[in-house]
Amino acid sequence: MCMYDNRTHILTGLLIVLALVLPAEAQQLGDPISESDIAPWDISISPDGRSLPPGMGSALEGAAIYADKCSACHGDAAKNGPAGSLVGGIGQLTQGQQNRTLGSYWPYSTTVFDYVRRAMPYQSPGSLSDSEVYAVTAYLLHVNGIVSKHYVLDADSLPIIRMPNRDGFISDWPSARQ
Amino acid sequence: MSSSCFSPGTEDRAAGGGLINRRWLLKNSLLAVPVGMVTTQASSDPLRVPEWSSAPGLIQSQYGQPSPFESHVTRPVLGLFPEGFGDGSGVSFTPLEKLAGTITPNGLFFERHHSGIPEIDPGSHEFVIHGLVERPLVFSVSNLLKYPMVTRTAFVECARNSFFNSLQEPQQRSAGELHGLIGNAEWTGVPLAALLEEAHVDLAGSWLLAEGADAAKYSRSIPISKAWEGEVLIAFYQNGERLRPEQGYPMRLVIPGWQGSTSVKWLRRIKVMSDATYARDETSKHTLLQKDGLARQFTFELGVKSTITTPSFGGPPVREGLQQVRGVAWSGAGKIAKVEVSADGGRSWADAVLHGAILPKAMTRFAIAWHWDGSPSILMSRATDDTGAVQPIRTDWYEPFAAGQIYHLNAIQSWGVSQDGEVSNVYV
């Protein structure tokens, strides 16, 4: 749960804003917009997976997409590519030369889907369909040994995956998850 | 050399290695110039009237440019991936050793982009606030520019700044090439809190997700309490003019004192959330892996830090005699309280003079007089902020961290000066 008393913050904020920033009559120039009109931009996915889109895909399908759209930069089987490896290093974070990858380091599977959909492939982000993003995410999790090649990722099955380094973080700022 | 008659005596020393106290300088202010510049001979040639004094010069221009004689003052550019595999994900460094004062000129302010610089037409840029709000809102840039604005000076520093000094061997790079992923500017914009108010945030709203309109749709989670404190700005202006494209035109967040990457550029969206989103750049990146295998996360505030910029590797060699050692200091927690300088590798320290207004979460200039006797020396600066935090030595900074941990490196910079005056980056 939230560790802050938001009411206090809102009141403090109000006072600061009203006292220091705004003249007597505040500007109100935002236009109302519906959540459905925002949907094309609302691409962030939290660990609870609640805003994951419809669609599905498995590593079997993702392998071909990966080879076609990703391997030139991230290497065959996600190893040793010029834009960095996406595989390996699991369980070795206390060793001298760790290999920090999405498999060994990232705490949540939802972040893989979120990031690939928003930013990859590097030259044409947004060009994959949601099912292709599920499939290539499944492939990346599979080559890291986290899911089998038949595991079908969708809005329900993605967030329940437990990443190897799930408990590897200590927060310097209170968050509901720590 | 005539240096001996201008030399400070032992009673004028502020610390070992030739650091001079202020009193001596005030007493001898006329002599406080580098020894090499004090000529006792009369010049034999009569003064020449140069061509620029003999005919009218260029006409006025619509946008002023630096003198062509300053064309070497540029940002060193560094791609982070081999060509063709991530062009546009890279950095350029503020050339700290070539600048004076505290304000970074807009064309020399460091850059970090994750997917290039978008060319945004402000006429079609939109900004939305949504999520846990009563009234989801969309704003045009022209409307946002009508809101009351505030102005403040703040540095923006990349959490990866100084990462070269995390490497095992000291890299021979200049002050700017080592520590120049920082810039200090006067920002003008609308407090984010004012727009959150307009959208009527639900009580459950405790984090924000801020997102850019670049191809990376760069995104970071920010605790909403930070915005309510009133310091978080949506900036439109930098040093009086509209943001440069590489600084987030037409609008960016500025969160004074926090990891630069939370000051999201090309801001297009704020989503009010009940928790952090755990985006790639707050999990895979910007987390501090410790030796014990655990990584610190949401380490927003940047530590107290300083570096000497004159002398520096890549600058002119040091000359014997009296000179000014100069540098910059800053802290993400508040104001700089003092900067000490050592000329003997940290055995003894003297307080430097702080110049100008000392602003919180902004760059502060320091300087101290130094009489170099020509023997090998090590110059260091150590900043303390008004919370009492002191800049650590490199080995202490590294102590808790795993090999390869590069974020939040605020360790003391040491410059070695060899017998012939050459300056190099050294680890002490």
Side-chain angles (χ1 to χ4, degrees), chain A residues 29-30 98 111 118 122 172, chain B residues 87 138 147 198 217 278 299 403:
Chain A
L29 300 174
Q98 348 85 29
T111 308
R118 78 172 54 238
Y122 187 80
D172 283 341
Chain B
D87 306 351
V138 59
Y147 280 72
E198 189 176 331
K217 272 83 78 190
Y278 295 83
T299 313

Side-chain angles (χ1 to χ4, degrees), chain B residues 341-417:
Chain B
V341 172
S342 173
D344 56 12
R347 278 201 298 279
S348 62
W349 297 86
D351 282 358
V353 178
L354 304 182
H355 289 171
I358 301 166
L359 302 173
K361 306 175 189 182
M363 256 193 203
T364 299
R365 269 276 155 192
F366 68 87
I368 190 167
W370 181 41
H371 189 272
W372 187 47
D373 67 4
S375 57
S377 306
I378 293 178
L379 289 168
M380 303 160 90
S381 65
R382 177 170 71 188
T384 302
D385 69 20
D386 62 358
T387 71
V390 183
Q391 204 181 347
I393 60 169
R394 188 175 168 279
T395 44
D396 285 352
W397 174 80
Y398 226 112
E399 223 292 307
F401 296 125
Q405 199 304 100
I406 55 171
Y407 296 107
H408 289 240
L409 201 167
N410 69 330
I412 290 171
Q413 168 66 37
S414 308
W415 295 116
V417 181

Side-chain angles (χ1 to χ4, degrees), chain A residues 67-80:
Chain A
D68 189 24
K69 303 274 173 69
C70 323
S71 64
C73 293
H74 293 292
D76 288 339
K79 251 190 230 119
N80 304 325

Side-chain angles (χ1 to χ4, degrees), chain B residues 256-288:
Chain B
W258 280 21
Q259 297 180 337
S261 48
T262 61
S263 288
V264 173
K265 298 190 285 190
W266 312 295
L267 187 69
R268 76 167 190 184
R269 185 167 76 104
I270 297 270
K271 186 173 187 181
V272 181
M273 310 282 295
S274 60
D275 199 356
T277 300
Y278 295 83
R280 177 258 193 169
D281 279 278
E282 58 211 22
T283 50
S284 172
K285 308 296 175 196
H286 304 104
T287 47
L288 286 66

Side-chain angles (χ1 to χ4, degrees), chain A residues 140-153:
Chain A
L140 292 175
L141 296 175
H142 172 64
V143 288
N144 276 291
I146 297 167
V147 300
S148 85
K149 63 178 181 236
H150 302 289
Y151 191 86
V152 176
L153 283 194

